[in-house]
Amino acid sequence: MVIPVHDVNPVSRTPWVTHALIAANVLVFLLMPGLSGSVAGDSNLAQLCHLQAFLDHYAAVPQELIHHQLPRLVPTGDVGVGARGAGCVVGPPTYDKSPPLSVLTAMFLHGGWLHLLGNMLFLLIFGNNVEDRMGHVRYALFYVACGYAASYGFALFNADSADPLIGASGAIAGVLGAYLVLYPKARVWVLVPFLVFLPLRLPAWLVLGFWFVLQAVYSSGEGVSGVGTVAYAAHIVGFLAGMLLAWPLKPGTPPPPEPRGLLFGRRARPRHTW
């Protein structure tokens, strides 16, 4: 997998929505119960039970989205001791959960630092240009629409799954799909792991096309969602939704600047002609 670090595609306005989304995702992650211990590697059972109860409340669950069947028993966040030893206590839910609204809240939940930082890196690099082209309000609506499309698309393929679906990956996949449609020839600096991290400057169509192919390959296996697993089918649906929604904007999109010079290593800097 290549790691994008920067794109050669300036913007004409400050991407306030992209910055706000990144800030909101980071803030929610820091406030999520139970994650502080898991990040430090010293999670105890009480923290894990608290986190499980939190996710069952605010994460999207495919079974709930498709069948509108809410469980009669959910984790309460407490720890109890039964015949098999200590575990998380379950009981009737003390809250009213809206499955459609859980899709929105789930977009701001992440299962770990790598999950969060990977998503925010892609959003930071590619989101600013899509927001610049769409405008702030339309971009915000576009982001949410792609997230919903990704979650419900994944749920259709996993209608009986009770595993929580969390993360901004589906919405951000939509941003990547829109970028591919609007700026396929934009140059993107990436790091390619080949013995060492090799810096390359590649066209966006190659970087994002390769990313999409990887998601399709991975999703051919048994893709399930939850903390520690990846919902690749949601990435695919979100990506395609982003492409479709951005397609009407393609004819009026100005092309990105074409950098001169070689496309590899330090020599990829523009050449100066005297």
Side-chain angles (χ1 to χ4, degrees):
M1 181 62 185
V2 298
I3 303 172
V5 294
H6 177 64
D7 66 332
V8 186
N9 196 3
V11 296
S12 60
R13 68 181 104 190
T14 303
W16 294 116
V17 175
T18 297
H19 291 168
L21 288 171
I22 294 173
N25 276 279
V26 173
L27 178 62
V28 170
F29 179 80
L30 294 176
L31 296 177
M32 282 180 65
L35 281 181
S36 59
S38 64
V39 172
D42 58 352
S43 296
N44 55 44
L45 182 58
Q47 289 175 324
L48 293 177
C49 291
H50 197 187
L51 177 60
Q52 186 178 0
F54 179 84
L55 293 179
D56 279 345
H57 187 179
Y58 293 105
V61 178
Q63 190 177 64
E64 298 173 0
L65 296 179
I66 302 302
H67 302 299
H68 299 281
Q69 296 176 350
L70 299 179
R72 290 179 296 177
L73 297 176
V74 297
T76 64
D78 298 324
V79 177
V81 179
R84 298 183 179 181
C88 299
V89 176
V90 297
T94 59
Y95 51 82
D96 292 326
K97 180 178 181 180
S98 169
L101 184 59
S102 70
V103 175
L104 181 61
T105 56
M107 290 185 205
F108 295 91
L109 306 179
H110 290 83
W113 280 107
L114 289 179
H115 189 198
L116 173 72
L117 295 178
N119 277 344
M120 295 306 101
L121 175 63
F122 276 81
L123 181 58
L124 178 64
I125 293 173
F126 299 105
N128 59 345
N129 291 105
V130 177
E131 180 178 354
D132 189 51
R133 180 67 183 92
M134 292 185 173
H136 304 308
V137 175
R138 185 160 51 174
Y139 172 73
L141 295 175
F142 163 84
Y143 181 90
V144 173
C146 290
Y148 268 84
S151 294
Y152 273 96
F154 177 83
L156 286 173
F157 291 103
N158 301 270
D160 296 324
S161 173
D163 294 323
L165 179 64
I166 62 174
S169 304
I172 295 172
V175 173
L176 302 185
Y179 195 101
L180 178 62
V181 167
L182 299 174
Y183 305 104
K185 296 182 180 180
R187 298 294 178 177
V188 180
W189 279 101
V190 299
L191 296 177
V192 180
F194 183 74
L195 299 180
V196 295
F197 284 104
L198 183 66
L200 297 175
R201 193 173 64 191
L202 303 174
W205 67 264
L206 181 59
V207 176
L208 299 179
F210 179 65
W211 181 88
F212 181 79
V213 169
L214 279 181
Q215 308 312 300
V217 170
Y218 294 152
S219 68
S220 62
E222 185 178 357
V224 295
S225 63
V227 180
T229 56
V230 181
Y232 294 107
H235 300 175
I236 295 174
V237 175
F239 191 91
L240 295 176
M243 292 184 68
L244 290 174
L245 292 174
W247 198 268
L249 299 176
K250 180 176 175 60
T253 302
E258 181 65 30
R260 295 173 297 170
L262 299 177
L263 306 179
F264 144 70
R266 294 182 178 179
R267 299 179 65 186
R269 298 175 180 175
R271 297 174 181 172
H272 296 282
T273 304
W274 303 92

